[in-house]
Amino acid sequence: MKRISLFTLLFGLSAVLSANGQTPAPAKRICMDVAHQQRFWGDPLDMDEKRVERVKYMTGEMLKTAAAVGGSLGYLKKEITSPDLKGCNLLFIHIPSAKYTPGEVGAISKYVGGGGALFLVMDQDMWSTLEQTNVNDIIRPFGVQFGD
């Protein structure tokens, strides 16, 4: 990821997580999906040494941004359900390469439809294909789609 792209990501997360008004806001939480064979993100505690240094750096930057606005980072390591998303202010999905179950698609759609924030990054050519994953099922109800 280029430095400008990382800055853009962190600035965007900061904007999503920043508090409005004078009263202290409840703690903000980024929920990061790592259950769908993501190539570049994951819980560093669950990774092999080859990938862990890059992921530690990127996750560290995400943690700094979250901490700057009183937030935290949590990992979604299994099938995503509505209760998993209940405490999330932002669902971060980065280049999945496995399909989401119909239940997950429904839970994510309900979350976004109810005002939840979704930050979805997809590279459909190099790291994952639209045939490998069904991210369009998640975003299509909101008028967005990858590909034709």
Side-chain angles (χ1 to χ4, degrees), residues 5-115:
S5 297
L6 184 57
F7 173 77
T8 302
L9 167 69
L10 296 177
F11 181 78
L13 290 174
S14 178
V16 167
L17 297 176
S18 64
N20 294 323
Q22 299 295 328
T23 58
K28 306 293 182 183
R29 186 162 180 242
I30 300 169
C31 295
M32 183 185 299
D33 172 28
V34 295
H36 294 87
Q37 300 174 10
Q38 281 80 1
R39 303 218 189 272
F40 297 116
W41 288 92
D43 182 343
L45 298 176
D46 296 339
M47 303 182 81
D48 62 56
E49 288 298 316
K50 291 179 190 175
R51 291 179 46 209
V52 77
E53 286 308 312
R54 177 183 168 95
V55 170
K56 277 185 181 178
Y57 168 76
M58 292 178 7
T59 302
E61 294 299 309
M62 182 84 73
L63 286 167
K64 282 193 258 182
T65 300
V69 294
S72 64
L73 175 65
Y75 298 102
L76 301 176
K77 298 181 182 183
K78 59 179 182 54
E79 184 172 327
I80 298 170
T81 64
S82 290
D84 294 331
L85 299 173
K86 191 168 180 102
C88 296
N89 297 93
L90 173 70
L91 173 59
F92 181 60
I93 299 175
H94 189 269
I95 311 179
S97 58
K99 290 191 183 285
Y100 291 83
T101 67
E104 289 176 304
V105 170
I108 295 168
S109 293
K110 180 180 175 186
Y111 167 76
V112 174

